[in-house]
Amino acid sequence: TPTVYGTIAVLVVLLAVLGRELVSGVRAYWLEHRALITRRWVVRRPSDADRIPLIDVAFSGRDGTPLRGWYVPPRGQAVVILCAGSEADRSAMLADARNLSGGGLGVLLFDWPGRGESGGAIQFGATERDALEGALDFLLTRPGSEALRVGALGFSMGGYTVAQVASFDHRLGAVVLAGTPTDIVDQTRAEYARAGRAAQYGALLAVARAGVRVHEMRPIDVANKIAPIPLVVVAGTDDVVVPASMSRQLYDAAHEPKEYWPIVGAGHGDYASHDPEYDARVRAFFEAALTVRP
């Protein structure tokens, strides 16, 4: 009868919708799971490594985790630590290394624990904070480092850790947080919002099963402790991974001295391609903030 056929049609539609939602949730779970598991690989030196010039270095995090990286000594007394995002190794920060070292600043790039050629496992918490603390120790205990000034540029989850460490370790003299989440839960929801509720739940399930302490030292909670370190918050206006509104919240939570740089048209990380002055602005910020004035 028409009523039976109508009921069947409704059920078919509902099953199709539920099926799409289920597929979306499972896909989001595995995408997020992939970002949270420990994976290591060989990090290849770029073809211009000798011209930069990159020096292979090894040091340990505060917890003893062996870390691998590249170091470019400064021509003056200022070095910037470059901190990549969650699924990347140190080579992801090479464009920033070329930019900053080209102006005479030193740079240190390293692989996070559980990534690239570093040991350890991913936590997005204490292990990463210990790694960044170890990077600061490595720079500031080298011979002739007494007058060294150190800044940090963190992208995405790299910025997440930089914000945490800057809130309690004022050996950092300047900080740039680019595309940095205020909170892992809110960021995960925002990233998967377009895919629907099931995708959000699937991604958050992966975060929970990985044991990430999502409420521990959230950047939105500790940003007010970064001052008096000079701070720049960078946001892509078209970023769908870490929305510009989230970056603005992070900026608003911080105290002066601070700057907010919205890059019109940029997504998650392609800032220089949308703002021809971006590289020069980053370099000028670190040069000014890390210069010792009489």
Side-chain angles (χ1 to χ4, degrees):
T1 65
T3 301
V4 172
Y5 289 138
T7 301
I8 293 173
V10 169
L11 289 173
V12 168
V13 170
L14 285 173
L15 287 172
V17 170
L18 289 172
R20 285 198 301 270
E21 287 291 299
L22 179 61
V23 169
S24 179
V26 170
R27 181 175 181 274
Y29 174 88
W30 284 111
L31 284 172
E32 203 63 21
H33 173 74
R34 183 177 183 275
L36 294 164
I37 59 173
T38 296
R39 291 181 295 117
R40 298 190 181 89
W41 55 87
V42 174
V43 180
R44 300 191 181 280
R45 289 171 63 85
S47 58
D48 61 343
D50 293 336
R51 190 168 66 250
I52 295 178
L54 297 176
I55 300 171
D56 292 316
V57 295
F59 55 95
S60 297
R62 284 277 180 90
D63 59 359
T65 298
L67 304 170
R68 298 293 181 271
W70 292 321
Y71 178 56
V72 181
R75 295 201 288 271
Q77 290 292 331
V79 175
V80 180
I81 302 173
L82 301 175
C83 300
S86 60
E87 293 191 73
D89 58 50
R90 59 191 184 268
S91 66
M93 305 303 288
L94 278 168
D96 296 288
R98 294 183 181 101
N99 172 44
L100 296 173
S101 64
L105 293 163
V107 292
L108 174 64
L109 312 79
F110 69 95
D111 298 333
W112 290 115
R115 286 285 183 256
E117 295 177 335
S118 289
I122 295 169
Q123 282 190 2
F124 293 131
T127 295
E128 286 77 12
R129 291 193 295 274
D130 282 343
L132 183 50
E133 288 280 273
L136 279 163
D137 295 341
F138 168 77
L139 290 171
L140 295 172
T141 57
R142 295 170 68 83
S145 66
E146 295 79 12
L148 198 67
R149 304 263 307 212
V150 182
L153 187 160
F155 171 67
S156 195
M157 287 302 291
Y160 190 90
T161 299
V162 170
Q164 293 176 330
V165 172
S167 73
F168 64 82
D169 192 336
H170 286 193
R171 292 182 296 172
L172 286 170
V175 167
V176 172
L177 303 177
T180 296
T182 56
D183 170 302
I184 290 178
V185 173
D186 288 348
Q187 182 275 322
T188 302
R189 286 177 175 149
E191 182 175 358
Y192 291 93
R194 292 185 178 184
R197 287 286 182 87
Q200 291 178 312
Y201 293 146
L204 287 170
L205 177 61
V207 172
R209 293 197 64 189
V212 179
R213 297 183 178 181
V214 295
H215 300 300
E216 182 180 270
M217 292 192 72
R218 301 185 310 161
I220 192 66
D221 296 330
V222 301
N224 63 337
K225 298 178 182 178
I226 295 175
I229 299 172
L231 169 67
V232 170
V233 177
V234 181
T237 61
D238 291 355
D239 193 338
V240 296
V241 177
V242 178
S245 59
M246 182 171 285
S247 295
R248 181 69 201 202
Q249 290 169 0
L250 186 61
Y251 169 80
D252 288 341
H255 293 167
E256 297 286 353
K258 61 180 181 177
E259 300 177 42
Y260 179 63
W261 298 355
I263 311 299
V264 177
H268 194 55
D270 53 343
Y271 310 119
S273 64
H274 287 83
D275 181 358
E277 301 300 318
Y278 175 76
D279 283 343
R281 291 173 73 191
V282 171
R283 191 168 62 247
F285 167 74
F286 281 118
E287 289 171 345
L290 299 177
T291 296
V292 178
R293 296 175 178 81

